[in-house]
Amino acid sequence: GDSISLVGAYNVNAGTVVYRKAITYDSTAQKIVLIYQDSSNSNYGYGVVGTVSGTSISFGTPTAFNSGSTLDMAITYDANANKVVLNYRDSGSGLGVAQVGTVSGTSISFGSKVSYLTGTVEFPSITYDSTAQKVVLAYRDGTGTNYGRAIVGTVSGTSISLGTPVTFEAASSGGITATYDPVADKTIISYYDGGNSNYGTSIQGTVSGTSISFGTPVVFNTATSVWASSTYDSENNLVIVAYQDAGNSSRGTAVGIVSTELSTNVTSENYIGIADAAYSDGATAKIQIVGSVDDAQSGLTAGQSYYVQNDGSLATEPDNPSVIAGTAVSATKLIVKG
C-alpha cells in the first residue's frame, strides 16, 4: 500500500565509518551493489555486494575500487553488459573517473579506471539508457567554468570507452542527478542553475551513437533547489525529482516531471478511432471509427475496457486525460469506444 516497514540495520563492514554512498541493483546477479568512501582507510573507495533474503540482508567482503581519496560518487547497472558502472571524483589525482564492476556470487571486481576530466569533478551522476544500451555520465566541470556537462559511455567487457563531453548548462550547475525515461527515450538531468538564481531545472538529453544532444531547460522550482536525487516511476511514466527547497524553509520536496514526448492533444471528444494498420508519418490512413471492430490487436482480455495512453498505446488504466479506446471482445479484437 502506502506504508513501509523497516526491519533492521546491518553492518556493511564492522568498524568502518562509511560516507558518500551510492547503491544500485544488479538484476542479472539479483544482488545490490553499494559503493562508499571508507573514512577509516584514507577515504578509499570500496564496493560491496549485498544479498537480500526475506527481510534481512547480508554483505560479502568489500573490495577497493580506488586506492585514493574518493569523494562524490554514483553507480548504475548496465543491463546489456551485465555490469555495474561507477562515476566518481578521485580526489587524490583530481580526476573524474568511470569504472566497470563485475558481480560474481557475493564478490565484486573492478576494471581499469578511465578518466574523463583532469580537474575537479563535482556532483557526478550516472544512468543507463536501455534503448541506446549506453550509460550517461553527468557532472559539474570545476576546471574554471562549473558548467554542467555529460558524456556517453560504452561498456565492453570490464572496460568502458567515453565519448566527447557535451555541455547541457553553460553556467554554474550543481546538485546534478540523471535518470532515464524509457517511454520517452530521454535522459533527464535535473540540477540547480547558477545562471538563473539556483532555480531547480531539468533538461532532456537524447543519446545518438557515442554522443548526446539536449533540448531546452525547464524550471521546476523558482527557488534555490539543492541535494537533488531522481528516479523513474514506471507506473505513472514520470521522472520523480526529490530536492531541498530553500524557498520553502529548506523542506524536502518532490516533483514529477513529464517528458514533452509524452504530451498529447487527444481528448475524449476528439478521439475517433484506431488505424487499421501501421502507417508511416504523414501517410493517408484508414481509420476504424466508433462502432467498428478493430481486429489488429493482441494480448487483450475479453470484456475489459481499454484506454488510450499518451504515447498512443492501450492500457487497462486511464492516462491523463482519460480517453476510453473501447472494449475488448477477444484477445485480438476491440469494439472502438464500445
Side-chain angles (χ1 to χ4, degrees), residues 232-257:
Y232 178 68
D233 175 358
S234 59
E235 181 72 19
N236 296 294
N237 294 334
L238 292 172
V239 170
I240 306 298
V241 181
Y243 58 96
Q244 183 190 83
D245 184 0
N248 188 22
S249 304
S250 295
R251 292 175 177 173
T253 307
V255 62
I257 296 175

Side-chain angles (χ1 to χ4, degrees), residues 17 27 59 73 88 90 117 127 135 139 161 172 178 181 196 200 234 236 238 262 284 286:
V17 180
S27 57
F59 291 96
M73 61 189 75
Y88 62 92
D90 183 348
L117 179 67
T127 192
V135 294
Y139 60 96
S161 58
S172 179
D181 181 335
N196 188 27
S234 59
N236 296 294
L238 292 172
L262 291 181
T284 300
K286 182 179 179 181

Side-chain angles (χ1 to χ4, degrees), residues 257-299:
I257 296 175
V258 181
S259 298
T260 56
E261 279 68 19
L262 291 181
S263 63
T264 180
N265 63 356
V266 69
T267 67
S268 58
E269 289 79 19
N270 66 18
Y271 167 69
I272 62 170
I274 300 174
D276 67 343
Y279 292 91
S280 299
D281 187 22
T284 300
K286 182 179 179 181
I287 306 299
Q288 294 167 313
I289 62 173
V290 173
S292 301
V293 176
D294 172 34
D295 58 0
Q297 300 297 322
S298 63

Side-chain angles (χ1 to χ4, degrees), residues 55-104:
T55 57
S56 65
I57 185 169
S58 57
F59 291 96
T61 303
T63 301
F65 61 82
N66 184 38
S67 298
S69 181
T70 310
L71 293 178
D72 304 332
M73 61 189 75
I75 186 171
T76 193
Y77 176 66
D78 183 326
N80 177 60
N82 295 332
K83 306 289 182 182
V84 297
V85 188
L86 286 59
N87 180 19
Y88 62 92
R89 173 182 168 190
D90 183 348
S91 182
S93 63
L95 299 174
V97 176
Q99 198 168 1
V100 175
T102 305
V103 173
S104 178

Side-chain angles (χ1 to χ4, degrees), residues 40-41 73 82 98 107-108 115 117 120 128 155 166 169 173-174 183 197 218 233 238 242 244 249:
S40 304
N41 186 23
M73 61 189 75
N82 295 332
S107 300
I108 186 168
S115 61
L117 179 67
T120 303
Y128 174 64
V155 175
V166 177
E169 181 58 67
S173 306
V183 174
S197 304
V218 176
D233 175 358
L238 292 172
Q244 183 190 83
S249 304

Side-chain angles (χ1 to χ4, degrees), residues 95-132:
L95 299 174
V97 176
Q99 198 168 1
V100 175
T102 305
V103 173
S104 178
T106 58
S107 300
I108 186 168
S109 58
F110 295 97
S112 299
K113 298 188 290 185
V114 177
S115 61
Y116 59 84
L117 179 67
T118 304
T120 303
V121 166
E122 296 176 302
F123 306 107
S125 186
I126 190 168
T127 192
Y128 174 64
D129 180 328
S130 56
T131 301

